[in-house]
Each structure stands twice: as structure tokens, then as C-alpha cells.
Amino acid sequence: MKVTIIGYGKMGKSLERLLKNTEHEIVAISDGKHSNELVSKLAKADVAIDFTTPETAYGNIMTCVMKKVPIVSGTTGWLDKYDEVVKAVIKEDASFFYASNFSIGVNIFYQLNKYLAQLMNNFPNYDVMLEEIHHTIKKDFPSGTALTIAEDILSKIDRKNGWESNTIGEMDKLSVYSKRIGKVFGAHEVQYHNSIDVIKLSHEAFGREGFAIGAISAAEWLIGKKGVYGMNEMLSISGN
């Protein structure tokens, strides 16, 4: 496949390095900051992969949708406009794949998190909290992965009806703590605790390679499809 990489930060460079060791071809690399420049770099692409910023991701995705170039995005922090993208994809009969985290391990973690939350819904004497740690360069918080984990907990735990960031507030809110430390690639931990014991579910990434491999796999999988997809569909994981 012929790929346009959108965004040339650490993830963009990881994609470039991995793609050069495959049969795939990088036809263009865009910084994702200028729509006119991006349009010209999509001309020969079978698919585009976007890892940019919360400020530019929506525009990059919409440009690909309008040009009917299948687009895979792992950029977080822009999801207030997600529904607009979905409507555009349907209207234009385009192709869009979004994941807050492309790691296979994280997506297994998502399923375990939902199962544990469903189980713990029957034990109201346990409170629940979530902590996420990333490198100091990461701009948005909570992370997209943490938001996915939080929403999945809230969908199963009846005693929680929303989340709060970096604070201990009302008992009916899920506390989500975000830390930015050194060069941590990504660590997420869910805790259920009371005065007797604590149950912990955690995942930590040791590098960006797993994210890049997952994004390339998503790009391969998306070609030839129409619609909006995510990791559940690609991995054939139940959304329950």
C-alpha cells in the first residue's frame, strides 16, 4: 500500500522507520499543519495515517474524508468533533479508523477493564479510581486511553455518573489522575479499594513500536472498506 504520514513527531518517525522495513511505500510525509500542503500529498496515497495534535487532527481527518483517502488517526484531544467526522464519512462514503490507543495489549486491557467493572458493580463497598502517566511532552490530559477506560467503567458502575480530573470530589464521580513524568510512554492503572484491600488492573507500554505496528495494521485492514471503524472491529472483539 502507498501511505501518506500526517505528522512528523515521534510517532510519525516511528511509522516511517517501520514502514521502510515492509513492502509498503511512503509516498509523502506532511506536518499536518497546512491543509493545502496536505491535499497535494494525498494525491498518490492509498491510505493516510495521522498522529498530529488536538488542534490540527480534525482538519486533517476531514481533508482526507473529502478527498476519499482512507484515514487512520491516533491523535487524541479532539473528540468533541468526532460526531461531525462520522456524519461526513457517511455522507461522503469514505473510510475512517480511529483508536485512542493502537496497542494490542491496551485493547485487551480495555476488555478486562469492562469485565472487572461489571463484576465490581455488585460490590459498592469498593471505590474506584484511575491513574495515567505519560511523558512530559504529551499535551492533553487525561489521555485518550484514560478517557476510554473511564467511559467503560462508567458504563458498568451504576454508582458513578461522571469523572473528575486530578481531584477527589463527590463519591458519585470517578477520579482520574494524570501525571506527566520523564519519558514514560504510557501507563494506566485502575484501582478498586476499600479499608480491607485493593484490586489493581494495569498496563504499561515500554515504547512506541506497539502503537505504530497497530496503526499500520489498521491501515492495511481499512483499505477497501467504507465507514467508521475502531480496534474492536479489526480485532473482532465484542463491544459488550
Side-chain angles (χ1 to χ4, degrees):
M1 68 182 175
K2 297 181 178 180
V3 183
T4 289
I5 297 173
I6 308 175
Y8 200 50
K10 289 182 172 60
M11 275 303 301
K13 291 180 173 66
S14 293
L15 287 167
E16 180 186 32
R17 184 175 64 255
L18 289 172
L19 283 166
K20 284 182 176 179
N21 293 320
T22 70
E23 71 277 12
H24 304 310
E25 178 185 355
I26 300 171
V27 294
I29 297 175
S30 168
D31 63 12
K33 298 177 181 179
H34 307 93
S35 58
N36 291 336
E37 178 252 7
L38 176 58
V39 168
S40 66
K41 292 191 174 183
L42 292 172
K44 297 180 180 179
D46 297 319
V47 65
I49 304 177
D50 167 87
F51 280 95
T52 50
T53 67
E55 295 76 24
T56 59
Y58 171 75
N60 295 332
I61 293 164
M62 291 296 283
T63 296
C64 292
V65 169
M66 296 306 171
K67 289 296 179 180
K68 292 186 169 53
V69 175
I71 170 69
V72 172
S73 179
T75 306
T76 59
W78 63 273
L79 292 183
D80 56 322
K81 296 181 179 179
Y82 180 81
D83 290 343
E84 294 178 37
V85 169
V86 171
K87 291 177 183 177
V89 170
I90 294 171
K91 180 181 178 181
E92 299 297 328
D93 195 28
S95 309
F96 175 53
F97 190 113
Y98 174 75
S100 61
N101 195 310
F102 283 93
S103 162
I104 302 301
V106 162
N107 282 275
I108 294 171
F109 178 92
Y110 287 157
Q111 301 306 310
L112 294 172
N113 174 59
K114 285 188 284 187
Y115 177 77
L116 180 58
Q118 184 173 350
L119 187 66
M120 297 305 293
N121 190 45
N122 299 315
F123 299 92
N125 60 317
Y126 282 88
D127 198 9
V128 56
M129 57 85 70
L130 167 62
E131 179 182 79
E132 61 98 353
I133 305 173
H134 282 83
H135 51 80
T136 54
I137 299 174
K138 186 170 179 62
K139 297 179 180 179
D140 59 309
F141 68 90
S143 68
T145 301
L147 290 176
T148 299
I149 294 168
E151 292 300 328
D152 286 343
I153 291 172
L154 294 174
S155 72
K156 303 295 183 182
I157 298 288
D158 295 334
R159 57 190 179 273
K160 300 291 184 180
N161 61 21
W163 60 270
E164 296 178 317
S165 180
N166 289 338
T167 184
I168 299 176
E170 301 296 326
M171 287 300 295
D172 63 346
K173 301 299 181 185
L174 170 66
S175 293
V176 181
Y177 298 98
S178 300
K179 298 179 180 179
R180 297 294 175 259
I181 301 172
K183 298 180 179 180
V184 178
F185 290 103
H188 297 82
E189 181 172 279
V190 177
Q191 292 188 15
Y192 290 87
H193 56 89
N194 60 20
S195 61
I196 298 172
D197 56 14
V198 60
I199 301 167
K200 298 181 181 181
L201 180 66
S202 64
H203 176 275
E204 181 175 357
F206 299 135
R208 293 183 180 84
E209 185 171 301
F211 309 138
I213 289 172
I216 293 169
S217 297
E220 294 169 337
W221 185 87
L222 185 62
I223 291 177
K225 295 179 175 65
K226 302 293 184 181
V228 178
Y229 300 98
M231 294 296 282
N232 280 1
E233 288 82 9
M234 187 179 83
L235 299 176
S236 299
I237 295 175
S238 169
N240 295 328

